[in-house]
Amino acid sequence: DKDTTIRLRVDQAIARVLSRQASSGGFGLWQAQSGDFWLDAYVTDFLSRAQIQGYDVPRIGFSMALDNLRNHVNYAPDFDAVSGGGDDIAYALLVLAREGAATMGDLRYYVDVKGADFATPLASAQLGAALAIYGDQLRADQMFARAADDHKKGRMDAAVAGYAETLRLK
């Protein structure tokens, strides 16, 4: 039946992405490697959501993925409004917050100090969602308002402008 087919495909996807996990906890597209922080957040997000839906996600692989995100956030290079960026950090912080593994100090730093420097409205919204998960509604609302304002102004990073940005913010 359809549910069995879906369950099998998700189980296969979990096994496939974990077969591409490097010893650092990061992920590669075609083999076990690391180096793309946004991809690491994306795959960890998938594993987190699968686990929430009751799929069996091996504890060690998932723990390594979360540790990798935390390490990347802790050693992330600086970015500013001119250079743009921060999308990978915001995404990682959202995934970590959903798992109760983000640090409130990191979340507040990225709002209070770097909030205006995120390249896309999506990044601002993800950081807002992370703060909302941790109960800091004032800062969350600040980032949601920034995301909405940036969206209205058409502010998007060229690399993601074609990736359904408009649809994701509605």
PDB file of all heavy atoms in Angstrom, residues 40-53:
ATOM      1  N   ASP A  40      24.864  20.341   5.279  1.00  0.00           N
ATOM      2  CA  ASP A  40      24.846  19.663   6.577  1.00  0.00           C
ATOM      3  C   ASP A  40      23.573  20.005   7.352  1.00  0.00           C
ATOM      4  O   ASP A  40      22.945  19.125   7.951  1.00  0.00           O
ATOM      5  CB  ASP A  40      26.074  20.056   7.406  1.00  0.00           C
ATOM      6  CG  ASP A  40      27.378  19.552   6.814  1.00  0.00           C
ATOM      7  OD1 ASP A  40      27.349  18.701   5.906  1.00  0.00           O
ATOM      8  OD2 ASP A  40      28.435  20.035   7.262  1.00  0.00           O
ATOM      9  N   ALA A  41      23.183  21.282   7.336  1.00  0.00           N
ATOM     10  CA  ALA A  41      21.960  21.684   8.025  1.00  0.00           C
ATOM     11  C   ALA A  41      20.740  21.048   7.365  1.00  0.00           C
ATOM     12  O   ALA A  41      19.820  20.583   8.052  1.00  0.00           O
ATOM     13  CB  ALA A  41      21.842  23.218   8.038  1.00  0.00           C
ATOM     14  N   TYR A  42      20.729  21.010   6.049  1.00  0.00           N
ATOM     15  CA  TYR A  42      19.601  20.445   5.300  1.00  0.00           C
ATOM     16  C   TYR A  42      19.419  18.957   5.617  1.00  0.00           C
ATOM     17  O   TYR A  42      18.302  18.498   5.903  1.00  0.00           O
ATOM     18  CB  TYR A  42      19.838  20.656   3.801  1.00  0.00           C
ATOM     19  CG  TYR A  42      18.723  20.180   2.918  1.00  0.00           C
ATOM     20  CD1 TYR A  42      17.574  20.940   2.739  1.00  0.00           C
ATOM     21  CD2 TYR A  42      18.821  18.970   2.235  1.00  0.00           C
ATOM     22  CE1 TYR A  42      16.542  20.512   1.917  1.00  0.00           C
ATOM     23  CE2 TYR A  42      17.798  18.535   1.410  1.00  0.00           C
ATOM     24  CZ  TYR A  42      16.660  19.313   1.260  1.00  0.00           C
ATOM     25  OH  TYR A  42      15.649  18.876   0.450  1.00  0.00           O
ATOM     26  N   VAL A  43      20.502  18.203   5.588  1.00  0.00           N
ATOM     27  CA  VAL A  43      20.413  16.764   5.850  1.00  0.00           C
ATOM     28  C   VAL A  43      20.043  16.517   7.314  1.00  0.00           C
ATOM     29  O   VAL A  43      19.205  15.651   7.610  1.00  0.00           O
ATOM     30  CB  VAL A  43      21.726  16.042   5.477  1.00  0.00           C
ATOM     31  CG1 VAL A  43      21.685  14.576   5.899  1.00  0.00           C
ATOM     32  CG2 VAL A  43      21.983  16.157   3.979  1.00  0.00           C
ATOM     33  N   THR A  44      20.619  17.281   8.220  1.00  0.00           N
ATOM     34  CA  THR A  44      20.285  17.126   9.637  1.00  0.00           C
ATOM     35  C   THR A  44      18.819  17.473   9.876  1.00  0.00           C
ATOM     36  O   THR A  44      18.138  16.827  10.676  1.00  0.00           O
ATOM     37  CB  THR A  44      21.217  17.977  10.516  1.00  0.00           C
ATOM     38  OG1 THR A  44      22.578  17.676  10.179  1.00  0.00           O
ATOM     39  CG2 THR A  44      20.995  17.697  11.990  1.00  0.00           C
ATOM     40  N   ASP A  45      18.315  18.472   9.166  1.00  0.00           N
ATOM     41  CA  ASP A  45      16.900  18.826   9.239  1.00  0.00           C
ATOM     42  C   ASP A  45      16.038  17.644   8.792  1.00  0.00           C
ATOM     43  O   ASP A  45      15.053  17.293   9.449  1.00  0.00           O
ATOM     44  CB  ASP A  45      16.638  20.053   8.369  1.00  0.00           C
ATOM     45  CG  ASP A  45      15.240  20.621   8.507  1.00  0.00           C
ATOM     46  OD1 ASP A  45      14.549  20.330   9.499  1.00  0.00           O
ATOM     47  OD2 ASP A  45      14.834  21.393   7.615  1.00  0.00           O
ATOM     48  N   PHE A  46      16.412  17.022   7.682  1.00  0.00           N
ATOM     49  CA  PHE A  46      15.671  15.850   7.200  1.00  0.00           C
ATOM     50  C   PHE A  46      15.671  14.741   8.257  1.00  0.00           C
ATOM     51  O   PHE A  46      14.622  14.161   8.564  1.00  0.00           O
ATOM     52  CB  PHE A  46      16.278  15.335   5.887  1.00  0.00           C
ATOM     53  CG  PHE A  46      15.870  13.931   5.559  1.00  0.00           C
ATOM     54  CD1 PHE A  46      14.571  13.649   5.153  1.00  0.00           C
ATOM     55  CD2 PHE A  46      16.763  12.877   5.668  1.00  0.00           C
ATOM     56  CE1 PHE A  46      14.166  12.347   4.862  1.00  0.00           C
ATOM     57  CE2 PHE A  46      16.381  11.576   5.381  1.00  0.00           C
ATOM     58  CZ  PHE A  46      15.079  11.308   4.977  1.00  0.00           C
ATOM     59  N   LEU A  47      16.841  14.453   8.832  1.00  0.00           N
ATOM     60  CA  LEU A  47      16.938  13.393   9.832  1.00  0.00           C
ATOM     61  C   LEU A  47      16.102  13.731  11.069  1.00  0.00           C
ATOM     62  O   LEU A  47      15.419  12.869  11.625  1.00  0.00           O
ATOM     63  CB  LEU A  47      18.399  13.156  10.213  1.00  0.00           C
ATOM     64  CG  LEU A  47      19.292  12.597   9.111  1.00  0.00           C
ATOM     65  CD1 LEU A  47      20.755  12.595   9.563  1.00  0.00           C
ATOM     66  CD2 LEU A  47      18.853  11.204   8.683  1.00  0.00           C
ATOM     67  N   SER A  48      16.132  14.997  11.475  1.00  0.00           N
ATOM     68  CA  SER A  48      15.348  15.440  12.628  1.00  0.00           C
ATOM     69  C   SER A  48      13.854  15.258  12.374  1.00  0.00           C
ATOM     70  O   SER A  48      13.122  14.722  13.209  1.00  0.00           O
ATOM     71  CB  SER A  48      15.661  16.914  12.915  1.00  0.00           C
ATOM     72  OG  SER A  48      14.771  17.449  13.867  1.00  0.00           O
ATOM     73  N   ARG A  49      13.418  15.705  11.203  1.00  0.00           N
ATOM     74  CA  ARG A  49      11.990  15.602  10.875  1.00  0.00           C
ATOM     75  C   ARG A  49      11.561  14.130  10.739  1.00  0.00           C
ATOM     76  O   ARG A  49      10.451  13.765  11.139  1.00  0.00           O
ATOM     77  CB  ARG A  49      11.683  16.372   9.606  1.00  0.00           C
ATOM     78  CG  ARG A  49      11.775  17.871   9.804  1.00  0.00           C
ATOM     79  CD  ARG A  49      11.705  18.613   8.470  1.00  0.00           C
ATOM     80  NE  ARG A  49      11.919  20.014   8.631  1.00  0.00           N
ATOM     81  CZ  ARG A  49      10.943  20.908   8.817  1.00  0.00           C
ATOM     82  NH1 ARG A  49       9.689  20.520   8.860  1.00  0.00           N
ATOM     83  NH2 ARG A  49      11.236  22.184   8.952  1.00  0.00           N
ATOM     84  N   ALA A  50      12.430  13.308  10.184  1.00  0.00           N
ATOM     85  CA  ALA A  50      12.111  11.880  10.072  1.00  0.00           C
ATOM     86  C   ALA A  50      11.959  11.259  11.458  1.00  0.00           C
ATOM     87  O   ALA A  50      11.017  10.495  11.714  1.00  0.00           O
ATOM     88  CB  ALA A  50      13.202  11.161   9.271  1.00  0.00           C
ATOM     89  N   GLN A  51      12.868  11.608  12.341  1.00  0.00           N
ATOM     90  CA  GLN A  51      12.814  11.078  13.704  1.00  0.00           C
ATOM     91  C   GLN A  51      11.533  11.528  14.410  1.00  0.00           C
ATOM     92  O   GLN A  51      10.879  10.731  15.087  1.00  0.00           O
ATOM     93  CB  GLN A  51      14.045  11.558  14.468  1.00  0.00           C
ATOM     94  CG  GLN A  51      14.203  10.957  15.836  1.00  0.00           C
ATOM     95  CD  GLN A  51      15.561  11.272  16.415  1.00  0.00           C
ATOM     96  OE1 GLN A  51      16.549  10.691  16.010  1.00  0.00           O
ATOM     97  NE2 GLN A  51      15.599  12.190  17.363  1.00  0.00           N
ATOM     98  N   ILE A  52      11.162  12.782  14.242  1.00  0.00           N
ATOM     99  CA  ILE A  52       9.927  13.300  14.846  1.00  0.00           C
ATOM    100  C   ILE A  52       8.709  12.532  14.338  1.00  0.00           C
ATOM    101  O   ILE A  52       7.758  12.306  15.077  1.00  0.00           O
ATOM    102  CB  ILE A  52       9.796  14.818  14.570  1.00  0.00           C
ATOM    103  CG1 ILE A  52      10.834  15.593  15.386  1.00  0.00           C
ATOM    104  CG2 ILE A  52       8.387  15.319  14.861  1.00  0.00           C
ATOM    105  CD1 ILE A  52      11.009  17.046  14.968  1.00  0.00           C
ATOM    106  N   GLN A  53       8.763  12.121  13.071  1.00  0.00           N
ATOM    107  CA  GLN A  53       7.649  11.376  12.474  1.00  0.00           C
ATOM    108  C   GLN A  53       7.688   9.882  12.817  1.00  0.00           C
ATOM    109  O   GLN A  53       6.864   9.115  12.331  1.00  0.00           O
ATOM    110  CB  GLN A  53       7.666  11.546  10.947  1.00  0.00           C
ATOM    111  CG  GLN A  53       7.348  12.959  10.500  1.00  0.00           C
ATOM    112  CD  GLN A  53       5.948  13.375  10.905  1.00  0.00           C
ATOM    113  OE1 GLN A  53       4.996  12.628  10.768  1.00  0.00           O
ATOM    114  NE2 GLN A  53       5.829  14.585  11.423  1.00  0.00           N
TER     115      GLN A  53
END
